[in-house]
Amino acid sequence: MTANATIVSSDFLYGTAWKEERTAELTELAIRAGFRGIDTANQRRHYFEAGVGAGLAAAYRAGRVSRDDLFLQTKFTYQRGQDHRLPYDPAAKLGVQVAQSLASSLEHLNTGRVDSYVLHGPSSNYDWTAEDSEVWGAMRKERDAGRTALLGVSNVSLRHLEQMENAGRELPAFVQNRCYARLGWDREVRSFCRERNIVYQGFSLLTANVDAIRSPLVASIAERHRATLAQVIFAFARGVGMLALTGTTDLEHMNEDLAGLKLTLAPEELRAIESIAG
């Protein structure tokens, strides 16, 4: 199964980080607006995954969607990225932690499987380590057991991915990174992904790039297409091969983001935005 086949109906992922007590409400609202891809993590420090599950349940009860209509993605987070509310036994081996975390996620989301299980950042900011290989092997076992369809990694550098490949590890179906215009919109990692048919998921496309979004260039493109600035940035992301995440809490913005799926930028517009700060 290819990543592209799985997410063919998800042109956007709705990100559920930092929603806290509004998580259930906003997850259900996003589905009602039309989002069919939901991104979460079993990391209580920044996510309320059980709240996502409550939002999904509300959408199911209302008859808006069934489980098979949705793309659900969650993550395994190392202990150093967690607070005291751990979804696994910290004394257990890493492979056991991976299995316990996913079992907890499936319970939170009231499902027998997720569509994507993502390593929420390598153990080192610099290298792909033996710990990462151990975790990745355990994640592959979860995939092979049918508890996830696909695997991904997030918050990775080109060096991480090259080391992973050079070590002969199976490459991910997804790479999810914060995407900065000042760094060429993560150009090197995107290029690695494109050459290997890995789907690149970009997050913080708006919040990490306020200056770029407010630039005269983006404003002129928005005016030309009678679009919002956010619609232009998300159209740019699609145009260069990204699967974008948005975490808006505003229904009007949700509707605008989805309406913007009709917007296609010209090649010269894509090149101009890509060169704003890199």
Side-chain angles (χ1 to χ4, degrees):
M1 181 189 306
T2 68
N4 286 324
T6 302
I7 60 170
V8 68
S9 62
S10 285
D11 298 298
F12 250 129
L13 293 181
Y14 183 71
T16 60
W18 308 297
K19 304 291 191 291
E20 284 301 323
E21 72 280 354
R22 296 193 66 198
T23 300
E25 165 203 350
L26 291 168
T27 299
E28 194 276 333
L29 186 67
I31 292 171
R32 175 154 40 102
F35 286 94
R36 294 295 178 262
I38 304 293
D39 174 84
T40 187
N42 207 345
Q43 181 206 31
R44 191 59 188 86
R45 180 179 179 183
H46 296 309
Y47 293 80
F48 183 22
E49 191 177 57
V52 173
L56 295 175
Y60 298 153
R61 285 195 304 271
R64 300 189 190 285
V65 291
S66 68
R67 169 64 184 90
D68 289 342
D69 295 324
L70 300 177
F71 175 87
L72 299 183
Q73 175 170 275
T74 191
K75 308 180 190 77
F76 169 79
T77 308
Y78 282 111
Q79 185 177 354
R80 63 181 62 88
Q82 303 271 7
D83 61 17
H84 63 283
R85 296 167 290 184
L86 295 171
Y88 46 71
D89 178 0
K93 292 183 178 179
L94 287 171
V96 175
Q97 291 181 15
V98 167
Q100 289 178 342
S101 183
L102 184 54
S104 172
S105 290
L106 297 179
E107 183 177 351
H108 289 159
L109 302 172
N110 191 30
T111 184
R113 59 165 177 86
V114 290
D115 298 289
S116 174
Y117 192 31
V118 173
L119 172 57
H120 203 185
S123 61
S124 162
N125 290 332
Y126 191 64
D127 286 316
W128 181 262
T129 67
E131 283 184 320
D132 299 322
S133 291
E134 183 178 352
V135 165
W136 192 242
M139 292 174 66
R140 289 179 61 192
K141 289 181 180 178
E142 294 300 303
R143 190 267 318 277
D144 293 345
R147 287 182 282 272
T148 182
L150 298 165
L151 300 175
V153 294
S154 69
N155 303 304
V156 290
S157 66
L158 178 62
R159 179 183 174 90
H160 285 128
L161 293 169
E162 288 177 338
Q163 289 181 341
M164 196 178 182
E165 183 175 53
N166 291 338
R169 305 299 175 192
E170 177 183 335
L171 290 175
F174 301 106
V175 166
Q176 184 187 105
N177 274 0
R178 179 174 280 110
C179 195
Y180 293 101
R182 62 182 172 82
L183 299 178
W185 305 93
D186 209 11
R187 185 182 295 112
E188 290 184 342
V189 171
R190 288 191 292 112
S191 177
F192 181 97
C193 291
R194 182 173 58 253
E195 291 167 2
R196 292 158 180 83
N197 200 32
I198 297 169
V199 175
Y200 180 96
Q201 300 178 4
F203 70 94
S204 295
L205 288 164
L206 303 183
T207 56
N209 300 300
V210 174
D211 290 343
I213 292 168
R214 293 176 178 172
S215 68
L217 170 66
V218 174
S220 67
I221 294 173
E223 182 177 4
R224 186 179 310 131
H225 290 279
R226 297 182 179 179
T228 69
L229 300 179
Q231 286 173 336
V232 169
I233 295 302
F234 289 134
F236 160 74
R238 290 191 302 277
V240 297
M242 293 188 211
L243 175 60
L245 282 83
T246 180
T248 182
T249 60
D250 183 89
L251 178 59
E252 182 179 355
H253 289 162
M254 290 180 186
N255 290 331
E256 287 177 351
D257 292 346
L258 291 168
L261 290 171
K262 300 174 183 176
L263 174 61
T264 300
L265 301 185
E268 59 270 20
E269 293 172 325
L270 295 175
R271 288 193 295 270
I273 294 174
E274 188 157 19
S275 66
I276 282 179

